[in-house]
Amino acid sequence: MSYRSPWMDEDLDAFRDLAKNFCEKELTPNVERWMENHEVDRDLWRKAGEVGLLCLSIPEEYGGGGGTFAHETVLVEQQARAGDSGWGVLLHNGIVAHYILAYGTEEQKHAWLPKMASGEWVGAIAMTEPGTGSDLQSVKTKAVRDGDEYVVSGSKTFITNGGQADVIIVVAKTDTSKGADGTSLIVVEADRPGFRRGRVLDKIGLKAQDTAELFFDNVRVPASNLLGSAEGQGFVQLMQQLPQERLIIGVTSVIAMELALETTLAYTKDRQAFGRPVYNFQNTKFKLAEIATEARIGRVFLDDCVAKHLKGELDIPTVAMLKWWTSERAMVAIDECLQLHGGYGYMNEYPIARMWTDQRVQKIYGGTNEIMKEIISRTL
């Protein structure tokens, strides 16, 4: 039952081979060590930059690969197949770089994107705060104009790539009296006085990802570090870019479902119970048939969304549907697959255990699934 995404072509097939070779060589042998260290090697970013895996969908004039979101999708699939969930390359490539591409001036794009494409800089975006969660209108971090500078003060948490980031897009209030209309995006370079990192957070999954707390103690940045033509555009910018972030979560959720199915098929055909392979029991076959069906439905829905996104036609409610449904169904599928592994499914040395803990957060970040349903319901 082979299936090929309709947006794949020969160029993407060739790129998949490049991504596969890189991930098998540079990721797979290091996964265990990175999980212990709670971060990937900093040098991984430079190696990826050298072979052209960073800023894949950013134009070549800014140092990027000149590709599309399809290239990002192929890369993350190969990363998952290599057994890694720690390298925050999709956030770097598909989110942070695209904020700069979409809203940066030519000067900003030429200054920041080539460094991200080479791996000299790692990118992060600091939205969530300890007290706000998905409520981005209520951020407390402030950026106060002082002459030719902004003074940024506040704290952020759950920041992907936070432990290694060199350039951070900070969601801050430039006018506390205006609610959402007073929100702006300010770029903060990590070498500025007053910026400091808190602890790398101890999560139940994504152990190799350097998710961190960030603190801004009156950090001064040039006023030219504002993203956009004027203050107060941040909330609109977030709403315009969040669909791609949610599409990325759909991508990773569908891939997780497919990998869980493949892993469990192999395990149940090899594992013996009561004198025969576990796969030969009707319950096993029926469960896997259900998962295979939902994985295919998820893949077809995802492919439709990717195709629409490549044409600039993906709307906010549709990608909200994709995000909540695929992240929810992937969690159910992986849980069923873990059950079919028996006690071994609960052991960290088995890939299914890591898939289970890694997948759970997909229902939370990028806007919780409850927020996704709220977005959808507004259009009904």
Side-chain angles (χ1 to χ4, degrees), residues 6-21:
W7 45 263
M8 285 292 291
D9 57 28
E10 289 184 4
D11 172 61
L12 289 165
D13 286 335
F15 173 70
R16 181 178 54 200
D17 292 339
L18 168 69
K20 181 176 186 286
N21 291 337

Side-chain angles (χ1 to χ4, degrees), residues 7 26 28 52 73 108 164 216 274 308 319 325 357 364 379:
W7 45 263
E26 301 294 345
T28 305
T73 303
Q108 288 171 334
Q164 295 184 337
F216 305 87
F274 302 102
K308 283 185 169 69
V319 80
W325 192 85
T357 52
I364 299 171
T379 69

Side-chain angles (χ1 to χ4, degrees), residues 188-201:
V188 176
E189 299 93 343
D191 59 0
R192 294 194 176 273
F195 169 75
R196 60 190 174 89
R197 306 176 206 271
R199 61 200 173 102
V200 171
L201 300 167

Side-chain angles (χ1 to χ4, degrees), residues 10-318:
E10 289 184 4
D11 172 61
L12 289 165
D13 286 335
F15 173 70
R16 181 178 54 200
D17 292 339
L18 168 69
K20 181 176 186 286
N21 291 337
F22 180 87
C23 291
E24 288 178 351
K25 178 185 175 187
E26 301 294 345
L27 305 187
T28 305
N30 298 304
V31 166
E32 299 288 341
R33 182 168 55 81
W34 292 342
M35 290 176 69
E36 291 173 9
N37 295 341
H38 299 297
E39 64 177 11
V40 302
D41 296 337
R42 183 60 182 79
D43 195 47
L44 173 67
W45 294 94
R46 284 182 279 272
K47 290 178 179 177
E50 286 171 8
V51 298
L53 293 182
L54 299 184
C55 296
L56 289 165
S57 50
I58 297 297
E60 292 178 13
E61 63 184 296
Y62 306 119
T68 68
F69 183 79
H71 290 83
E72 309 289 4
T73 303
V74 170
L75 174 59
V76 73
E77 178 158 6
Q78 296 311 312
Q79 178 187 3
R81 288 187 175 281
D84 175 63
S85 59
W87 185 29
V89 68
L90 253 187
L91 178 103
H92 177 96
N93 280 4
I95 298 174
V96 180
H98 278 270
Y99 274 93
I100 296 170
L101 179 68
Y103 310 117
T105 62
E106 285 300 310
E107 186 177 359
Q108 288 171 334
K109 288 186 275 194
H110 282 289
W112 297 331
L113 289 173
K115 290 181 179 179
M116 291 181 66
S118 68
E120 180 184 344
W121 275 6
V122 175
I125 183 162
M127 297 187 200
T128 308
E129 295 179 0
T132 61
S134 293
D135 185 8
L136 294 176
Q137 297 186 49
S138 299
V139 297
K140 300 286 192 293
T141 298
K142 294 188 292 186
V144 179
R145 185 70 182 257
D146 182 20
D148 292 333
E149 294 179 314
Y150 283 105
V151 181
V152 182
S153 54
S155 62
K156 300 288 184 178
T157 193
F158 308 142
I159 307 306
T160 303
N161 290 349
Q164 295 184 337
D166 304 282
V167 59
I168 302 137
I169 298 172
V170 180
V171 180
K173 285 287 175 65
T174 44
D175 188 336
T176 55
S177 68
K178 290 184 178 179
D181 292 337
T183 306
S184 301
L185 303 184
I186 309 287
V187 175
V188 176
E189 299 93 343
D191 59 0
R192 294 194 176 273
F195 169 75
R196 60 190 174 89
R197 306 176 206 271
R199 61 200 173 102
V200 171
L201 300 167
D202 183 19
K203 308 179 297 298
I204 63 170
L206 301 177
K207 291 286 190 181
Q209 171 55 247
D210 59 332
T211 312
E213 300 170 318
L214 304 179
F215 299 97
F216 305 87
D217 302 326
N218 298 317
V219 180
R220 289 183 171 270
V221 299
S224 59
N225 277 24
L226 174 73
L227 273 186
S229 57
E231 291 181 1
Q233 297 177 346
F235 197 73
V236 172
Q237 293 166 340
L238 288 165
M239 293 307 103
Q240 289 171 342
Q241 293 297 314
L242 276 169
Q244 178 151 307
E245 180 174 352
R246 289 164 184 163
L247 179 58
I248 286 168
I249 294 168
V251 170
T252 52
S253 293
V254 170
I255 291 168
M257 216 184 312
E258 292 172 341
L259 285 177
L261 176 63
E262 289 177 24
T263 300
T264 308
L265 270 171
Y267 178 84
T268 56
K269 289 180 177 181
D270 183 63
R271 174 77 174 165
Q272 297 280 323
F274 302 102
R276 54 179 172 156
V278 172
Y279 180 78
N280 286 0
F281 291 94
Q282 188 181 63
N283 178 67
T284 306
K285 292 178 180 179
F286 282 12
K287 288 293 183 186
L288 291 174
E290 292 169 8
I291 294 165
T293 304
E294 293 215 341
R296 176 64 63 87
I297 293 167
R299 173 59 72 173
V300 172
F301 187 15
L302 171 65
D303 283 341
D304 183 61
C305 288
V306 170
K308 283 185 169 69
H309 189 54
L310 293 172
K311 294 188 285 186
E313 297 173 359
L314 182 61
D315 61 80
I316 290 171
T318 300

